[in-house]
Amino acid sequence: MIRILLADDEAMIRAGVRAILDSDPSLEVVAEAGDGRQAVDLAIGHRPDVALLDIRMPRLDGLAAAGELRRVVPETAVVMLTTFGEDDYIAKALDVGASGFLLKSGDPRELIAGIHAVADGAAYLSPKVAQRVIAQVAGGRMGKGARARDRVEALTEREREVLALLGAGLSNAEIARRMHIVEGTVKAYVSSILIRLTVRNRVQAAIIAHEAGLVA
């Protein structure tokens, strides 16, 4: 079972999202929060696998809650679920350590796929968000290729191989199968890569992989 914390200040939205999640027998909503502060408190108590957070919430907004969750319960993956797809929200969500970014206007199947992806250690962006991120990378607004290549040079050859697969969107389990190693070894490589690249999450590492030319 994948244990989920759901946070949104609108009860009807929570009910709708929960109905979608309940359609998958491998997902379990263990707690619901009406604001960001309550979400952090419930996450500390329940230790969910995934926290699904709205961005605009009272007391503590979703972005601030995400940053706090990454500090106090780092084992909980954070997915932002919002009606807002503006670039500044996307950039801020990635900066605070979110592993996923989904739009409420998206297909319900995206929600379930995103939850499974981040619970498996991968990153997940809704297709519309992914298009924006790719455009930003292509336009150079998220960094320069030369600088990314310099950062990647600090990695070992094996770490660069893992980074390339991570950048291609593979989960830890998929990388393990591709490289013929155990998943625990992949997790160790990923942790080392994040530290060496001084990034907070897999999405930021994947962006560097694209900027550095490791991913076609």
Side-chain angles (χ1 to χ4, degrees), residues 121-125 130 133-134 137 152 155 158-172 174-175 178-179 186 189-190 193-194 197 199 201-216:
Y124 191 92
L125 302 177
V133 172
I134 290 170
V137 172
V152 168
L155 305 179
R158 200 65 162 165
E159 287 171 342
R160 286 195 292 273
E161 185 178 354
V162 171
L163 178 61
L165 296 174
L166 184 157
L170 275 65
S171 67
N172 288 346
E174 291 169 332
I175 294 174
R178 183 75 63 88
M179 297 180 65
V186 174
Y189 276 130
V190 172
I193 289 168
L194 298 184
L197 295 180
V199 295
N201 58 49
R202 296 171 69 101
V203 179
Q204 293 173 331
I207 289 171
I208 292 175
H210 281 270
E211 290 175 345
L214 297 182
V215 185

Side-chain angles (χ1 to χ4, degrees), residues 50 79 99-100 102 108-120 122-125:
V50 178
V79 176
S99 297
L102 298 166
R109 290 172 294 183
E110 291 178 17
L111 174 60
I112 293 176
I115 294 293
H116 279 279
V118 299
D120 191 36
Y124 191 92
L125 302 177

Side-chain angles (χ1 to χ4, degrees), residues 65-131:
E68 192 162 339
L69 285 174
R70 298 306 298 150
R71 290 191 297 272
V72 298
V73 282
E75 68 276 14
T76 296
V78 175
V79 176
M80 309 306 301
L81 179 63
T82 181
T83 56
F84 306 97
E86 291 87 350
D87 292 349
D88 59 337
Y89 283 114
I90 298 170
K92 289 176 182 176
L94 301 182
D95 188 55
V96 298
S99 297
F101 196 106
L102 298 166
L103 300 180
K104 292 178 181 177
S105 59
D107 191 312
R109 290 172 294 183
E110 291 178 17
L111 174 60
I112 293 176
I115 294 293
H116 279 279
V118 299
D120 191 36
Y124 191 92
L125 302 177
S126 73
K128 290 182 180 179
V129 173
Q131 289 173 2

Side-chain angles (χ1 to χ4, degrees), residues 7 11 13 19 54 56 65 67 75 84 90-91 108 148 153 172 181-182 211:
I13 296 295
D54 185 27
R56 291 190 175 180
E75 68 276 14
F84 306 97
I90 298 170
E153 283 298 316
N172 288 346
I181 57 179
V182 299
E211 290 175 345

